[in-house]
Every structure is written in C-alpha cells, then in structure tokens.
Amino acid sequence: MTRDKKTIEAQVETIRKGFPWLEIQSGATPGNGIEVLDEKTADEAVAYLDKAEVRGKAKFVPASGAASRMFKAVFAKDPETIGRIAANLDKFAFYDPAVFGKGPFDPEKTAGLILGEDGLGYGDKPKGVLKFHRYADEVRTAIAEHLVEGQEYMRNADGSVNMVVTISPEHKPLFEKAIAEVKPRYEKKYGVRYDIRFTFQDKSTDTVAVGADGRPFITDQGDILFRPAGHGALIRNLQEVDEELVSIKNIDNVACERLLPVCARNKKILMGRALQLRDRIFGYIYALDQIESSAVHNPAMSNVLQAYMPLQEDVYASPEVQDLCNEIEGFLRDTLCITMPPAKDCRSRAEALRSKLDRPIRVCGMVRNEGEPGGGPFIIKASDGSTSLQILESVQIDRSNPSAVKALNGSTHFNPVDLICCLRDYKGAKFNLEEHVDPQTGFISSKSYQGRELKALELPGLWNGAMSDWNTLFVEVPVETFNPVKVVTDLLRPAHQ
C-alpha cells in the first residue's frame, strides 16, 4: 500500500520521539478503582440485566492475524518446547494419528508436521480455526467455543446471537469453513440463531516500520514495510456495530465447557453493572437537561427573550441544582475515580459535568495478578488536574519515574481483555467513538520481519488509548475466567484439558 511522503516522515518521527508518558496517580486497587462485588450485589447486577431494555447485544471477537506468535518457539525448534509437545502430543486437541502416527514422537518431526502444509499447516493459519479442545463427541476450534459461549450469555430476546469477528481477508474462507461445520448443529442444540459478521482491519490504518538505522524498514523485495497498527485500529470496526451492548473478548481466551458457568455468570455480572451504570448516568443527564430547559423556557419571559437571552446563572446557582451537581461529582469520584477541575461558575460546572457524563461506557473485568503478562488498571491524572481510570500496557509505564514504578509495583490486578461496552447515548444515538480516542497514547513496540529487528508504531489500543475518554468502571472477576492461549503449550493447562 502506498503512502504519501509526509505521512511516512511523520510516523518515522513519532517512532523516533516516542509518545509522552502519562502521569500515573496510583494503581487501581480494590476499594480504589476496582469494585469487588459480594454475592448479593452480583446477583442484583444479573437481575438488572434480565429486566433492562437494550437495543441489541453483540459479541465482538478480535481474531485477525496468523498464529505465528503462538508457535514462535516451535518455528525456532526450541528443544524444551518441542520436546514437551512431543511428550504430550496425544493431549492436544489437534493430535491426529493419521497425521502424526503413534508414539513415541520425534520432537523435530512433530514440530514440522504441526507447522507445515504436509501436516496441519498451523504455521500460517489464524488462531480462531485451530483445534483447542477435545470432547467425547467433538473437537472444537477456538471460534466454535466462542459460538458456544455466545449462546450462553449474549442471546437476544428474539433468540439471535450476534457475533462480530475481526479477521484478515485472506483468512475468511478458513473461518467460514470452521463455522459452517458447527453452526447448524449448535443452532439446533441450543435453540438459537447465529448472526456472524466478519469485519476487516482497515489497511489505511497500517503504519510504517522502522529498522535499526532509524529509517523506514526496507523488505528483501525493496519495498517500505507497513504493518497493522495494533488492535487500536479496530475502534473503526467497533464503530460499525449497531447493537448497543457489546462484549469484547479475544479469540484465544476460551476454556473447556466445564468452565462456562463461571465465565457466563461473570459476563452477565459485568453486563448488569454496565446497564446499572448506563441508567444512572442517563438519569443524571436528563436531570441536567431539565435545568437547561427550564432556564430557557422560563414562562416569565416572552418568546423573544427566550430565544435570545442567555441562560440565567441564578438558575444554576440555586440550592437544588448545586445539590444535584454535588451528587454527580460524588458519583464520578466514588464510582469512576473521576475528579473534576474547578469550574469558573455554576453554569460552567453543570455543563462540564454533563459533558463528562455523555460519553461511551465500558465496564472492564480485572483479574488478580498472578504473574500473567498483560496491561493493568491505573488512575491517571490529566494536564487539567482531572483523573480517570485507564488501562496501560507495560511499555506505557516510565520505568525511570519512581512514582510510576511504585504504582506499578503496588498494582494488584491486570487486564484480561474482558469488556462490556455501551455504545449509544441517552437518546439512542450511536456515539462517534473516534471522538473519544487520545492520539497521544500510542506506543512503540519491538518486532521482527524476515529475521531482522524493527520498531513498529502501534495506534492507541482498543481497550487502552482508543477508549481513553470513555466512562470506565473496573470490576474484579475470578481468574478462572481468563484462559488465554498465547503459546501452544498453554493448551496443556487444566482449563484446556
């Protein structure tokens, strides 16, 4: 894909300079940014989900890219990794005697059969179509497990289960085949109707890669290398979703069906909390709008004065309005860790509060940190003095800043990418999600291509800077809900056996 010279130069300069560090006030911890719900409160959230009105639900599954990172150690023929795979080959769902024969298995030959086209060809296939779990009557791919999950907690009132799956165009036939093999059977078994939509990451969001010399990376074919700019580019794909309530969960984060009850219940808890939060925020916005309406349409004023006279400050200075603003500020502070900068007058205060309320909502599950890799929840302080809850990747934390390191070391949870999003405003209109992205929260990552090291420019992450300006709530979820497959040997963990 061609790019104009100015864009390339600007991206190279961004990689050279990097992004500004965010000011971390503290890590988000239980009672200070992370809700830990007792059983009663959790039950209330589930009950709220059951009765709340929602303009449709959808499951959003980022699933683009090949599984090359999953098999990185296999490609490198790391002795420990391929030895462990060979020793446990019959425990993997993808084991097929017709392909691998019967044991004992040679590690290098096994590695070749897993990756190569003369075997499974997994080296070039996406994670979503790989066989993850074996049952008595079937073997399920990752995408099949998402279909089973979806019917359990994302079913709409009409029996539909809507799924939006982000894939690479070249992988579409593989996904279509994998889904066609199970969809009719699952629809009959679970009494649902699946509506599965594929969406592709926009190639125009690809960014230039930079080599060790600080210049654009030139491939062996003599072309400048452009790479997908991380999951942050998917904010455009999320914008295309028409449903109001969206669940986001990565393609590789699925477990065997015996863990579905705990995973589904916690998804319902997060959805219930999102709708409780939505309706409280909508109530506050409505109350603020009534104040403005009463100020503009004061019957004591003539129609001409109503049309041209500015809103009266004394309306906003009334004790009733100030009590409402105090309540909203307390809610933002105590529930969402949002502190507001001082306002110049009462009217400006009310308008600032309305603006802060009127934005997309996300409720993010957070797991106790037990050493898994991933970003984490923090309370961030903006340049105007306001604070908010944000998810940061480790590369976004300034290790030379003692206070940032202290916040990192004191963090108790990490981000498993388990989100519920509300995408419509209180009048039912879709938010323009790109208006709520912080462009200064991208990051630079280290990658390789054709055996050579490079630096890549990542757009603000989908659940990081791309949602920087959303109203955010963190809720603790059990570690049993987080079962990612980052490397192939993760499939030997109990959750996948």
Side-chain angles (χ1 to χ4, degrees):
M1 176 173 287
T2 58
R3 293 290 194 286
D4 63 87
K5 184 178 178 182
K6 185 175 292 187
T7 298
I8 293 173
E9 290 176 346
Q11 291 181 356
V12 170
E13 181 65 10
T14 298
I15 293 175
R16 187 187 69 80
K17 292 172 59 178
F19 290 92
W21 300 110
L22 296 176
E23 183 178 347
I24 301 175
Q25 178 168 290
S26 69
T29 55
N32 184 39
I34 298 179
E35 285 189 351
V36 181
L37 306 181
D38 57 31
E39 201 68 18
K40 179 176 180 293
T41 309
D43 288 342
E44 289 171 351
V46 174
Y48 200 90
L49 169 67
D50 292 338
K51 68 181 181 180
E53 291 187 8
V54 180
R55 288 180 169 87
K57 297 183 289 187
K59 185 174 167 65
F60 189 90
V61 185
S64 49
S68 52
R69 280 192 293 176
M70 179 176 166
F71 294 105
K72 182 178 179 181
V74 181
F75 275 109
K77 294 187 177 178
D78 172 64
E80 183 179 350
T81 300
I82 63 175
R84 187 180 177 200
I85 292 171
N88 296 277
L89 187 58
D90 59 355
K91 296 179 182 177
F92 289 93
F94 57 70
Y95 169 66
D96 183 351
V99 174
F100 297 96
K102 296 184 178 180
F105 304 101
D106 176 74
E108 291 203 12
K109 182 180 179 182
T110 298
L113 289 171
I114 291 173
L115 302 176
E117 289 302 323
D118 57 337
L120 301 178
Y122 274 12
D124 294 319
K125 290 180 179 177
K127 276 186 185 179
V129 304
L130 306 190
K131 294 176 179 178
F132 268 31
H133 305 140
R134 185 182 300 277
Y135 299 90
D137 58 345
E138 68 172 321
V139 176
R140 286 184 193 161
T141 61
I143 191 65
E145 289 289 11
H146 276 279
L147 265 65
V148 174
E149 269 202 13
Q151 62 80 28
E152 187 72 12
Y153 59 77
M154 291 302 289
R155 189 180 305 220
N156 287 292
D158 63 358
S160 64
V161 177
N162 302 326
M163 285 181 56
V164 179
V165 187
T166 72
I167 63 173
S168 299
E170 64 270 22
H171 294 152
K172 186 178 180 182
L174 292 172
F175 274 95
E176 288 178 331
K177 181 175 183 292
I179 290 170
E181 289 174 350
V182 298
K183 181 171 175 278
R185 179 157 43 91
Y186 290 174
E187 287 183 331
K188 182 178 180 180
K189 179 179 179 179
Y190 299 114
V192 297
R193 184 184 72 260
Y194 289 104
D195 176 12
I196 301 168
R197 290 162 275 165
F198 296 118
T199 180
F200 309 122
Q201 187 165 315
D202 190 342
K203 293 293 290 182
S204 69
T205 62
D206 289 0
T207 54
V208 69
V210 168
D213 59 358
R215 298 181 178 182
F217 186 102
I218 305 299
T219 67
D220 292 345
Q221 291 73 38
D223 301 317
I224 294 177
L225 178 65
F226 292 90
R227 302 182 72 263
H231 53 70
L234 297 179
I235 196 69
R236 295 187 180 182
N237 304 77
L238 188 61
Q239 180 72 65
E240 296 170 2
V241 177
D242 287 327
E243 290 82 0
E244 178 183 12
L245 193 69
V246 178
S247 166
I248 301 179
K249 191 177 182 185
N250 282 332
I251 187 66
D252 65 343
N253 183 15
V254 283
C256 285
E257 192 171 345
R258 70 174 184 278
L259 290 177
L260 184 54
V262 65
C263 292
R265 172 171 167 78
N266 279 277
K267 270 292 189 182
K268 290 177 179 179
I269 292 169
L270 296 181
M271 285 191 280
R273 284 298 291 126
L275 294 173
Q276 287 173 327
L277 187 62
R278 177 201 68 175
D279 290 348
R280 186 168 182 183
I281 286 173
F282 285 1
Y284 283 140
I285 294 175
Y286 177 79
L288 290 170
D289 284 357
Q290 292 302 108
I291 297 164
E292 182 175 339
S293 177
S294 67
V296 172
H297 300 291
N298 189 330
M301 293 190 288
S302 69
N303 290 335
V304 174
L305 286 175
Q306 286 180 35
Y308 293 100
M309 196 171 182
L311 301 182
Q312 300 301 297
E313 173 65 23
D314 58 359
V315 174
Y316 288 94
S318 69
E320 294 81 7
V321 173
Q322 288 305 296
D323 285 346
L324 174 63
C325 289
N326 289 339
E327 181 181 338
I328 294 172
E329 283 192 351
F331 160 73
L332 292 173
R333 180 187 64 248
D334 299 339
T335 304
L336 307 180
C337 290
I338 293 173
T339 55
M340 301 287 291
K344 64 179 181 180
D345 53 46
C346 295
R347 178 182 171 186
S348 298
R349 181 192 185 198
E351 290 174 343
L353 289 172
R354 192 196 186 286
S355 175
K356 185 65 72 173
L357 291 168
D358 193 20
R359 51 194 70 198
I361 295 167
R362 62 173 176 164
V363 173
C364 311
M366 289 292 157
V367 173
R368 287 274 177 179
N369 199 332
E370 296 183 353
E372 295 282 357
F378 293 89
I379 301 174
I380 301 300
K381 188 173 185 180
S383 57
D384 65 358
S386 65
T387 61
S388 63
L389 292 171
Q390 303 289 340
I391 297 171
L392 302 186
E393 300 295 331
S394 58
V395 296
Q396 294 179 278
I397 298 173
D398 183 4
R399 305 304 175 98
S400 66
N401 183 331
S403 62
V405 173
K406 181 180 179 182
L408 176 63
N409 292 337
S411 63
T412 57
H413 290 66
F414 74 96
N415 168 41
V417 187
D418 191 358
L419 289 78
I420 301 297
C421 305
C422 295
L423 304 183
R424 290 179 178 266
D425 66 20
Y426 93 114
K427 293 183 178 180
K430 289 171 65 173
F431 285 106
N432 183 344
L433 302 183
E434 293 193 67
E435 291 181 352
H436 299 276
V437 175
D438 182 353
Q440 294 301 307
T441 55
F443 51 91
I444 313 303
S445 60
S446 297
K447 306 286 185 179
S448 64
Y449 182 81
Q450 296 177 341
R452 295 153 55 196
E453 297 300 312
L454 59 83
K455 289 189 179 297
L457 176 61
E458 305 266 353
L459 292 177
L462 180 61
W463 40 85
N464 309 110
M467 295 180 173
S468 176
D469 207 27
W470 293 38
N471 283 322
T472 299
L473 180 67
F474 295 147
V475 178
E476 182 179 270
V477 294
V479 70
E480 290 87 354
T481 64
F482 182 58
N483 302 286
V485 179
K486 299 304 179 187
V487 296
V488 61
T489 49
D490 284 342
L491 289 171
L492 295 175
R493 293 185 176 190
H496 301 288
Q497 290 290 308

